[in-house]
């Protein structure tokens, strides 16, 4: 079987990662995220016309009735319209908008109306940030406990890397960042971690078995051995995600996009961030020796023919 | 012997599969569109004639009924077409034209009897899948504190008058209640008297002589207790109100310290729902002031239907709407709407005592509504929402007391029959202990719900098909095994969600699809390992054994970390995120079970203990 020299290319990979991170952070600083209604608060009304209307007409009709800061766009089909009203909430705004639009004799059906108070959005923002930090912290502890602290650092940085890049892409292209995207982001953490752990597990095993001390070579061997698994799993996951993106409808559109980016970046980072970082923190065989005594299953494995 | 399971392991796996199958089956039976009729008061069950009348009316309108279930608590009419639901409800509403019945559209389970005997039922569909409204309400604590202080101030004034201590003024500001007296002695006497009865305050003196005042500040503990009380009381009231609305399977739940979630599946008329859920209306009964009443005991109000007409009322309240035990709308001789009111025991006594001694005086009914006004102001360059609670008080009637009133009487002076009906409903369900306002609202139309289900199912099907194909091509015989395991995994996941009573939402479906993709991971790890061991020169049996054994730690570590993330997601998330987290964590558990035990059992049954030379992997 062909062996790829993954570790030999790590400098190039670092440059790629660094560029991606810089662009992401730059974009986050300059134009922030296009936060969805869940986080900013505001009012949103989705309606369906029998026949596609002219967006300008809809906007004018609304503005002439005193709705301020109206944003009108099509959503999915050309006859489905999404209307956003910033911070201008009135109890029955959904019905008001519908009856207003019906005023010119058009057939209009209310699909959904949402209102989120500004304060709720703000709390959600804080809560999500907090949740993300807690998730990362606990995962790091688990990895430090099951492997070794150097692995924990590598895994953590890989996760941070993935999260920043996914969020960065959403910022760069100003995609809607809503609650489902947040869920996707957390799923990305789960997925990328899964991937990293599999690679780490193999690296640990290979280090214990091998007689040489050439870490890059050991890493290469381990990564090559998990490569077909990595590709198969990413492949199947991407297959379903693409199905979700194409068929799942508009409400989970951005969810799918976030996960697709996340799976690709997560697979890359398991090899080039998580594993390559172990070289930078100078992982040595000795780091894993004390752990060996505490691990009875591992002993059992060694006895196999 | 390698690759053999003891019999009990096969039996255990079989048991799990059978249980999984039974509990996932109800999801295959689609729920029937239905109209539910329940009697608002238990003593009025639907009579046979009424039922027959309804059925013939439905027949006439061309609405086909597929079944009618009569139960103790009401009647469920199952319809053949979902489109007929609204029309059917209206028809039935016309026939049962009184307050005694609650008519709601509903989705009725159609799980067969034999499955129901296992207590198996389908997953509940979330609002995004069946349509409906979702409200997030916040209890306005500032207003609650102010209300409590007003009540206390009224009681304190009464006490002071009883002891003949003269006070000049009462003032409420935030959590402070300030009483002003004429001199120091009065203040000191009042302080001793009041502090004995009201332990919830911190007391301090301010000023002296004619400016002597007593400042009472509510303690933190008292405020916290008030908050708990207010939220719980509001929960009860909201439940009563939602029940009156006649919604099938409503949800009213506390969320965090001061918020309440209300979900009304199937409700499309948000305006009506909001009017009832969010209404903070209450009534107060007061006597009209006499010409010789001192100014500080008088409050002036204008009439609701005529702003220019005003009346001077006593500051003290005889009783409020909280003492009402039952209320109904009806019409008086002239066809004007009125509300018939029954008071509870204490209310009746209070009313009787107040009216008995005041025959010939006027009594006023005051309509009170707490509202909030939201304005946006620019502060430090940022838009900030400022909420300003205000209370509208208006007279609805002022009538001469002809004779002593007892437990029941009626009030008139309402603008419209709808207003009368709403007021009766509010008085019946109880008033809110503290004003609430809407911080979040979602309305999902039924068409979007069906759309979401269809799309979710399609993407699951297509995703599943793609993965199945991929596994077949890559792992051949083992691919078949993995695919059977994947189907079992999906069944178990659905069964687990149904058993836990989890709500299926759109992100939940996405979680299921994602789980499918990741579920094969464990199998892939094992199969790759077996291939590797085969290449390493192990015999078939040894390779299979080593493959499962060595992939084990990887699978456990990888899944536990993902599970940790899912659990955190569940604990911090709300609504849709929670749904996703539940599906993801259950998916991880079922996929570990199927990959480690079920596929192993299948591999063992196929190859275990046989002299196999070559395997297709």
């Amino acid at each position: 079987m062909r062996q790829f020299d993954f570790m030999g290319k790590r400098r190039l990979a670092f440059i790629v990662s660094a560029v991606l991170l810089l662009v992401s952070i730059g974009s986050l600083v300059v134009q922030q995220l296009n936060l969805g209604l869940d986080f900013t608060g505001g009012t949103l009304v989705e309606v369906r016309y029998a026949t596609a209307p002219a967006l300008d007409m809809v906007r004018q009709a609304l503005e002439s009735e005193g709705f301020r800061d109206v944003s009108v766009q099509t959503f999915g089909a050309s006859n489905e319209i999404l209307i956003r009203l910033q911070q201008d909430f009135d109890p029955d705004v959904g019905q008001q908008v519908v009856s207003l639009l019906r005023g010119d004799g058009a057939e209009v059906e209310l699909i959904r109306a949402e209102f989120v108070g500004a304060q709720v959005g703000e709390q959600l923002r804080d809560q999500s940030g907090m949740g993300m930090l807690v998730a990362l912290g606990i995962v790091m502890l688990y990895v430090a406990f099951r492997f070794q602290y150097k692995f924990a650092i590598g895994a953590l940085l890989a996760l941070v890397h993935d999260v920043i890049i996914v969020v960065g892409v959403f910022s760069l292209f100003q995609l809607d960042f809503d609650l489902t995207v947040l869920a996707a982001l957390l799923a990305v953490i789960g997925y990328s971690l899964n991937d990293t752990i599999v690679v780490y597990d193999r690296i640990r095993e290979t280090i214990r078995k091998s007689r040489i001390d050439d870490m890059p070579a050991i890493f290469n061997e381990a990564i090559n051995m998990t490569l077909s698994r990595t590709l198969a799993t990413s492949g199947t996951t991407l297959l379903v995600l693409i199905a979700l993106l194409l068929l799942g409808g508009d409400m989970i559109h951005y969810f799918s996009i976030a996960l697709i980016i996340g799976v690709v970046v997560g697979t890359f980072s398991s090899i080039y961030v998580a594993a390559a970082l172990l070289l930078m923190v100078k992982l040595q065989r000795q780091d894993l020796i004390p752990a060996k005594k505490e691990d009875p299953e591992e002993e059992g494995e060694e006895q196999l023919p | 012997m390698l690759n053999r399971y003891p019999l009990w392991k096969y039996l255990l796996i079989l048991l799990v599969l059978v249980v999984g199958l039974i509990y996932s089956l109800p999801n295959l039976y689609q729920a029937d569109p239905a109209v539910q009729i329940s009697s608002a008061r238990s003593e009025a069950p639907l009579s046979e004639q009424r039922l027959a009348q309804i059925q013939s009316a439905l027949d006439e309108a061309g609405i086909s009924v597929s079944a009618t279930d009569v139960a103790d608590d009401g009647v469920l009419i199952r319809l053949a077409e979902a489109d007929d639901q609204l029309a059917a409800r209206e028809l039935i509403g016309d026939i049962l034209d009184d307050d005694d019945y609650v008519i709601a559209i509903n989705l009725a389970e159609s799980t067969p009897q034999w499955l129901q005997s296992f207590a198996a039922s389908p997953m509940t569909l979330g609002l995004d899948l069946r349509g409906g409204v979702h409200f997030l309400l916040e209890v306005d604590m500032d207003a609650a504190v102010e209300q409590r202080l007003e009540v206390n101030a009224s009681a304190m004034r009464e006490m002071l008058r009883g002891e003949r201590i003269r006070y000049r003024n009462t003032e409420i500001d935030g959590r402070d209640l300030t009483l002003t007296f004429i001199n120091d002695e009065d203040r000191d006497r009042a302080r001793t008297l009041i502090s004995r009865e009201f332990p919830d305050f911190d007391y301090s003196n301010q000023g002296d002589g004619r400016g002597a005042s007593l400042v009472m500040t509510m303690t933190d503990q008292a405020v916290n207790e008030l908050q708990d009380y207010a939220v719980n009381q509001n929960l009860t009231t909201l439940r009563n109100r939602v029940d009156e609305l006649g919604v099938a399977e409503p949800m009213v739940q506390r969320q965090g310290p001061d918020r309440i979630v209300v979900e009304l599946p199937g409700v499309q008329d948000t305006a009506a729902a909001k009017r009832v859920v969010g209404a903070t209306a209450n009534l107060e009964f007061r006597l009209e002031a006499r010409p010789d009443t001192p100014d500080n005991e008088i409050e002036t109000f204008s009439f609701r239907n005529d702003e220019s007409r005003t009346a001077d009322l006593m500051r003290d309240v005889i009783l409020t709407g909280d003492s009402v035990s039952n209320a109904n709308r009806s019409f008086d001789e002239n066809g004007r709407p009125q509300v018939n009111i029954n008071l509870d025991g204490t209310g009746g006594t209070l009313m009787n005592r107040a009216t008995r001694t005041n025959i010939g005086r006027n009594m006023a009914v005051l309509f009170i509504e707490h509202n909030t006004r939201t304005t946006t102001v620019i502060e430090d360059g940022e838009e900030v929402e400022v909420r300003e609670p205000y209370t509208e008080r208006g007279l609805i009637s002022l009538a001469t007391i002809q004779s002593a009133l007892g437990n029941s009487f009626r009030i008139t002076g309402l603008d419209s029959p709808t207003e009368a009906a709403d007021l009766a409903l509010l008085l019946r369900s109880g008033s809110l202990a503290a004003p609430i306002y809407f911080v979040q609202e979602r309305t999902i139309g039924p068409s979007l719900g069906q759309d979401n289900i269809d799309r979710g199912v399609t993407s699951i099907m297509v995703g599943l098909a793609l993965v199945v194909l991929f596994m077949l091509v890559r792992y051949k015989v083992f691919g078949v095994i993995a695919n059977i395991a994947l189907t079992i995994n999906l069944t178990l996941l659905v069964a687990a969600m149904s058993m836990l009573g989890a709500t299926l939402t759109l992100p939940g479906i996405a979680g299921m699809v994602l789980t499918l993709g990741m579920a094969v991971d464990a199998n892939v790890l094992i199969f790759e390992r077996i291939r590797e061991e085969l290449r390493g020169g192990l015999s078939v049996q040894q390779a299979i054994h080593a493959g499962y054994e060595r992939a084990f730690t990887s699978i456990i570590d990888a899944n536990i970390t993902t599970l940790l993330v899912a659990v955190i997601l569940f604990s911090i998330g709300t609504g849709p995120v929670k749904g996703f987290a539940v599906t993801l964590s259950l998916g991880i558990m079922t996929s570990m079970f199927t990959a480690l035990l079920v596929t192993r059992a299948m591999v063992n049954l196929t190859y275990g203990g046989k002299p196999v030379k070559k395997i297709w992997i």
Side-chain angles (χ1 to χ4, degrees):
Chain A
M1 190 170 153
R2 220 185 126 194
Q3 295 277 316
F4 292 96
D5 180 15
F6 284 105
M7 290 300 114
K9 306 257 184 344
R10 67 177 186 273
R11 266 168 236 294
L12 181 67
F14 275 144
I15 294 172
V16 172
S17 277
V19 169
L20 287 176
L21 284 176
L22 277 179
V23 170
S24 297
I25 295 173
S27 168
L28 281 169
V29 169
V30 175
Q31 50 183 7
Q32 280 98 35
L33 274 173
N34 183 13
L35 289 174
L37 187 74
D38 297 320
F39 297 101
T40 58
T43 303
L44 175 155
V45 182
E46 190 185 335
V47 293
R48 182 184 292 147
Y49 275 80
T51 51
L55 292 186
D56 274 342
M57 299 290 288
V58 175
R59 193 173 300 125
Q60 274 167 21
L62 287 167
E63 273 169 0
S64 66
E65 281 300 308
F67 288 105
R68 287 173 297 120
D69 300 328
V70 189
S71 128
V72 179
Q73 65 189 85
T74 55
F75 190 66
S78 68
N79 62 339
E80 285 191 21
I81 303 235
L82 198 65
I83 300 160
R84 279 168 215 270
L85 308 160
Q86 281 301 319
Q87 316 293 355
D88 191 9
F89 179 65
D90 202 299
D92 314 312
V93 73
Q95 291 301 333
Q96 276 178 30
V97 166
V98 171
S99 47
L100 173 66
L101 296 179
R102 274 184 192 144
D104 4 320
E107 258 183 67
V108 184
E109 182 192 355
L110 176 69
I111 295 183
R112 63 183 166 129
E114 293 185 14
F115 154 71
V116 177
Q119 210 194 350
V120 180
E122 204 172 294
Q123 277 173 11
L124 189 67
R125 231 153 44 204
D126 297 346
Q127 235 177 38
S128 327
M130 205 50 222
M132 200 94 83
L133 289 182
V134 172
L136 290 176
I138 289 183
V139 160
M140 196 172 154
L141 283 180
Y142 183 82
V143 176
F145 166 72
R146 284 289 295 170
F147 293 81
Q148 206 256 342
Y149 78 94
K150 287 180 182 169
F151 284 91
I153 296 173
L156 182 74
L157 289 179
L159 292 184
V160 172
H161 169 268
D162 299 346
V163 170
I164 290 180
I165 291 177
V166 176
V167 174
V169 171
F170 269 75
S171 162
L172 191 63
F173 297 103
Q174 289 290 296
L175 305 176
D176 251 0
F177 192 95
D178 59 18
L179 213 54
T180 61
V181 178
L182 179 74
L185 206 57
L186 288 151
V188 166
I189 292 184
Y191 181 87
S192 161
L193 190 67
N194 194 310
D195 219 39
T196 303
I197 298 291
V198 170
V199 173
Y200 273 7
D201 200 71
R202 206 54 191 255
I203 288 178
R204 175 170 65 180
E205 195 188 321
T206 320
I207 289 179
R208 283 177 184 165
K209 261 199 267 178
S210 97
R211 316 230 171 275
I212 49 165
D213 266 329
D214 181 5
M215 284 295 159
I218 292 176
F219 280 32
N220 266 336
E221 193 191 333
I223 293 169
N224 272 298
M225 280 191 292
T226 52
L227 188 63
S228 51
R229 169 266 159 194
T230 305
L231 293 181
T233 301
S234 309
T236 50
T237 311
L238 283 176
L239 278 181
V240 280
L241 285 175
I242 289 168
L244 211 54
L245 177 71
L246 298 180
L247 306 166
D250 301 309
M251 281 181 84
I252 42 179
H253 186 72
Y254 292 112
F255 174 89
S256 324
I257 291 183
L259 265 169
I260 289 175
I261 301 169
V263 167
V264 173
V265 177
T267 309
F268 169 82
S269 77
S270 306
I271 296 172
Y272 276 113
V273 181
L277 271 176
L278 289 181
L279 289 179
M280 289 183 64
V281 294
K282 306 227 173 349
L283 182 81
Q284 287 164 336
R285 191 194 300 277
Q286 288 86 314
D287 289 333
L288 289 168
I289 299 233
K292 198 172 173 181
K293 281 182 194 141
E294 290 164 13
D295 208 341
E297 316 160 26
E298 211 63 38
E299 301 282 282
E301 268 187 40
E302 300 299 331
Q303 286 158 13
L304 281 169
Chain B
M1 195 83 185
L2 280 179
N3 304 331
R4 300 290 292 270
Y5 262 179
L7 185 63
W8 69 266
K9 265 199 183 177
Y10 289 118
L11 289 178
L12 180 76
I13 292 169
L14 200 66
L15 181 73
V16 172
L17 293 189
V18 170
V19 170
L21 196 62
I22 289 176
Y23 285 93
S24 60
L25 264 182
N27 293 292
L28 290 182
Y29 296 93
Q30 275 208 321
D32 294 330
V35 178
Q36 192 172 16
I37 309 168
S38 42
S39 47
R41 268 156 290 284
S42 50
E43 64 267 24
L46 202 61
S47 69
E48 290 281 322
Q49 294 136 293
R50 278 285 180 76
L51 200 57
Q53 205 183 337
I54 290 171
Q55 256 164 353
S56 61
L58 289 177
D59 282 345
E60 239 170 78
I63 296 171
S64 51
V65 176
S66 59
T68 309
D69 307 347
V70 183
D72 287 345
D73 55 344
V75 177
L76 192 71
I77 298 175
R78 293 172 190 265
L79 305 174
E81 297 289 330
D83 296 344
D84 291 340
Q85 262 181 321
L86 286 174
R89 181 175 70 169
E90 242 163 64
L91 258 176
I92 297 171
D94 288 344
I95 296 171
L96 305 173
D97 182 28
D98 47 47
D99 290 343
D100 286 344
Y101 298 98
V102 175
I103 302 149
I105 56 176
N106 192 359
L107 283 174
E109 274 181 33
S110 59
T111 311
Q113 203 58 46
W114 67 274
L115 276 176
Q116 278 182 22
S117 59
F118 290 106
S121 59
M123 276 184 273
T124 335
L125 297 183
L127 280 187
D128 49 354
L129 298 182
R130 68 196 294 191
V133 277
H134 165 108
F135 296 131
L136 185 62
L137 303 147
E138 193 163 296
V139 178
D140 191 337
M141 283 316 298
D142 293 343
V145 169
E146 196 170 310
Q147 270 180 24
R148 172 61 64 90
L149 289 179
E150 260 168 33
V151 171
N152 283 345
S154 179
M156 285 172 190
R157 281 197 297 265
E158 180 116 342
M159 256 171 93
L160 294 175
R161 278 203 298 273
E163 292 290 318
R164 302 197 177 281
I165 299 172
R166 289 175 64 197
Y167 59 91
R168 292 198 305 159
N169 204 1
T170 45
E171 206 177 294
I172 292 168
D173 180 30
R175 284 160 65 172
D176 297 337
L177 173 59
T178 312
L179 275 170
T180 320
F181 298 89
I182 296 175
N183 54 46
D184 293 11
E185 290 101 81
D186 277 358
R187 192 235 339 253
D188 294 341
R189 274 178 62 207
R191 180 168 173 167
T192 341
L193 193 68
I194 294 174
S195 60
R196 240 189 352 245
E197 296 284 322
F198 297 89
D200 289 348
F201 293 95
D202 290 327
Y203 294 87
S204 65
N205 292 346
Q206 236 174 41
D208 47 30
R210 282 193 64 77
S213 57
L214 178 61
V215 180
M216 294 164 274
T217 312
M218 250 181 127
T219 58
D220 287 343
Q221 199 202 342
V223 171
N224 286 341
E225 276 170 16
L226 176 62
Q227 171 158 333
D228 258 9
Y229 164 79
V231 174
N232 287 327
Q233 180 65 39
N234 279 359
L235 272 176
T236 316
T237 306
L238 288 177
R239 284 205 186 102
N240 290 339
R241 288 185 184 177
V242 166
D243 286 345
E244 295 262 356
L245 269 179
V247 178
E249 298 173 54
M251 186 191 82
V252 181
Q253 239 174 32
R254 184 174 184 166
Q255 181 180 308
D258 56 0
R259 297 214 172 119
I260 296 173
V261 184
V262 177
E263 284 198 350
L264 310 173
V267 168
Q268 292 309 320
D269 186 0
T270 21
K274 278 187 92 157
R275 207 174 58 228
V276 172
V277 169
T280 49
N282 202 343
L283 290 183
E284 270 180 19
F285 298 91
R286 301 193 193 195
L287 288 172
E288 192 182 26
R290 286 205 188 88
D292 60 340
T293 314
D295 275 357
N296 59 8
E297 288 178 22
I298 292 181
E299 266 184 291
T300 306
F301 296 101
S302 55
F303 278 80
R304 282 186 84 213
N305 47 15
D306 181 7
E307 289 278 330
S308 56
R309 240 182 104 199
T310 60
D312 293 338
L313 302 186
M314 302 293 291
R315 214 172 242 272
D316 293 314
V317 176
I318 302 172
L319 52 85
T320 66
D322 298 344
S323 309
V324 171
S325 64
N326 197 9
N328 278 303
R329 175 193 68 171
S330 62
F331 295 91
D332 66 5
E333 311 76 53
N334 303 320
R336 282 181 308 220
Q338 63 175 18
V339 176
N340 300 320
I341 290 179
N342 289 313
L343 294 178
D344 58 15
T346 15
T349 318
L350 283 173
M351 182 57 95
N352 188 270
R353 196 188 301 157
T355 47
R356 202 174 50 208
T357 52
N358 287 303
I359 292 175
R361 267 178 89 175
N362 281 342
M363 187 174 72
V365 181
L366 203 54
F367 185 90
I368 301 166
E369 192 156 22
H370 300 284
N371 264 321
T372 42
R373 205 181 283 124
T374 311
T375 44
T376 315
V377 294
I378 308 287
E379 200 173 277
D380 303 332
E382 262 187 69
E383 285 197 2
V384 183
E385 269 185 47
V386 179
R387 237 180 24 252
E388 195 190 332
Y390 64 98
T391 306
E392 273 179 49
R393 290 186 158 88
L395 284 166
I396 46 179
S397 75
L398 185 66
T400 315
I401 302 169
Q402 308 283 1
S403 61
L405 293 174
N407 277 352
S408 66
F409 54 92
R410 60 183 196 184
I411 56 171
T412 50
L414 294 152
D415 283 341
S416 68
T418 322
E419 191 176 70
D422 278 357
L423 181 63
L425 190 157
L426 294 180
L427 289 172
R428 271 204 303 276
S429 59
S431 65
L432 293 165
I436 48 177
Y437 52 92
F438 292 83
V439 286
Q440 195 175 37
E441 180 191 328
R442 286 171 206 277
T443 313
I444 294 122
S447 58
L448 182 64
Q450 193 54 48
D451 223 33
N452 280 339
I453 295 184
D454 295 345
R455 283 175 170 164
V457 170
T458 325
S459 44
I460 284 191
M461 290 301 171
V462 173
L464 189 66
L466 288 174
V467 173
V468 163
L469 213 66
F470 179 90
M471 293 300 282
L472 267 185
V473 170
R474 199 173 158 88
Y475 298 109
K476 311 189 182 74
V477 176
F478 278 72
V480 175
I481 291 174
N483 286 337
I484 296 174
L486 195 60
T487 321
I488 293 175
N489 186 19
L490 192 60
T491 314
L492 288 182
L493 180 56
V494 170
M497 288 184 68
S498 310
M499 280 164 94
L500 285 178
T503 306
L504 186 68
T505 56
L506 191 64
I509 293 184
M512 268 166 119
V513 178
L514 186 65
T515 314
L516 286 184
M518 289 171 65
V520 291
D521 181 50
N523 285 320
V524 169
L525 269 170
I526 295 164
F527 296 167
E528 288 296 331
R529 201 64 193 233
I530 295 177
R531 279 183 170 187
E532 209 181 298
E533 302 298 339
L534 281 174
R535 274 198 303 271
L538 290 190
S539 74
V540 167
Q541 299 294 355
Q542 279 171 331
I544 292 175
H545 182 74
Y548 272 96
E549 207 74 358
R550 291 193 178 158
F552 186 78
T553 39
S554 289
I555 296 174
I556 292 290
D557 275 337
N559 280 301
I560 285 184
T561 42
T562 316
L563 198 59
L564 279 177
V565 173
V567 169
I568 296 164
L569 204 59
F570 180 79
S571 57
I572 59 151
T574 53
V577 176
K578 258 201 166 74
F580 175 73
V582 170
T583 329
L584 193 63
S585 18
L586 288 176
I588 291 167
M589 287 189 258
T590 53
S591 72
M592 280 208 292
F593 173 78
T594 45
L596 292 176
L597 286 173
V598 179
T599 63
R600 186 74 197 267
M602 284 192 280
V603 171
N604 284 357
L605 277 179
T606 323
Y607 296 111
K610 290 172 195 155
V612 187
K613 284 271 173 302
K614 188 171 164 37
I615 48 174
W616 289 88
I617 185 164

